[in-house]
Structure formats: structure tokens, C-alpha cells
Amino acid sequence: MDIDSDWKEIAISHLHLDLQNPRHDRVEGEGDAIAHLCSEENVFELASDIASRGALSPLDSLGVIPQEGNPGHYVALEGNRRVCALILLADPERAPTPALRAQFQRIPQRAQAPRQIKVHVF
């Protein structure tokens, strides 16, 4: 089977969650998806680990597709939890509660959170 894809480095700010992810109930927007992932999927712990390493594990790769109507932006097909962690490391204000915002704001003070990531674009 031949699959058309390319590796590309993109800014975390151009990476978006898959709102149609079959692993959880469909949500209306990224804020709802972030809230769900934070409450159900231990995103803070994952974000702390990513920040302490300065990157995802070299064995982890994200598969993305271009986001319709938003050139240069991509939706994660696989890795919503990792994408959520990266989004919140880059922009803690997007965390769903004041307590989580405060926690995420403290992470970059003790580690280097990635600002770009290599993805596999389908």
C-alpha cells in the first residue's frame, strides 16, 4: 500500500486537536477537547515529562493532515494527548481551570518546552 506523506517541522501554535477522535465523545471545540483530555488522560504529567526532556520521545511521531480552511495549520490524526500537552506547554492560558493554568505556567520555568515539532503530514 502506497501512502502519500511527508515529514515537516511545524510550530506548536499550528497544531490542532482532532475533534472527531474516536477515543472520546465528539466535542464542539478545542477548549472542550482540552478540558476532557486534562480531566481524563493525565495530560499534566505527560506535559511535565515532555518539558523535562525538551521533546517527545524520538520513538513518538505525530501523524497530521492539513486543517481545512486554515493554510499552514494541521490536525493531529494520532496523538491527541501529546498534542494537548504540547499546546498547553506553549500556551498555559488554554488550560481549562485556573489551577491547571498555574501548574502549566510553572513547567517552563524548570524545563525547556518544545516550540516546534516534526510531524508526518498525510
Side-chain angles (χ1 to χ4, degrees):
M1 176 166 70
D2 189 24
I3 298 175
D4 188 27
S5 63
D6 292 305
W7 287 102
K8 185 173 192 166
E9 184 128 346
I10 63 168
I12 301 301
S13 62
H14 291 173
L15 192 57
H16 302 275
L17 297 169
D18 179 5
L19 303 182
Q20 309 295 318
N21 189 317
R23 292 187 181 160
H24 58 72
D25 293 335
R26 293 193 180 182
V27 294
E28 291 299 314
E30 265 192 353
D32 292 338
I34 289 170
H36 170 79
L37 290 165
C38 283
S39 68
E40 302 294 325
E41 300 288 340
N42 298 322
V43 170
F44 179 76
E45 290 81 4
L46 177 60
S48 295
D49 183 64
I50 291 169
S52 71
R53 297 172 191 271
L56 292 176
S57 162
L59 299 176
D60 286 336
S61 64
L62 297 177
V64 301
I65 58 172
Q67 187 179 45
E68 191 174 314
N70 199 3
H73 288 249
Y74 300 87
V75 175
L77 295 176
E78 179 61 34
N80 253 12
R81 191 171 81 101
R82 288 172 284 167
V83 170
C84 185
L86 291 166
I87 287 170
L88 292 173
L89 284 169
D91 186 3
E93 290 300 312
R94 295 182 66 186
T97 66
L100 274 174
R101 281 191 285 278
Q103 285 182 297
F104 277 97
Q105 287 169 343
R106 285 191 296 271
I107 290 175
Q109 291 176 2
R110 61 175 200 263
Q112 183 62 37
R115 296 291 180 210
Q116 294 204 351
I117 188 164
K118 191 172 183 180
V119 297
H120 203 83
V121 181
F122 293 95

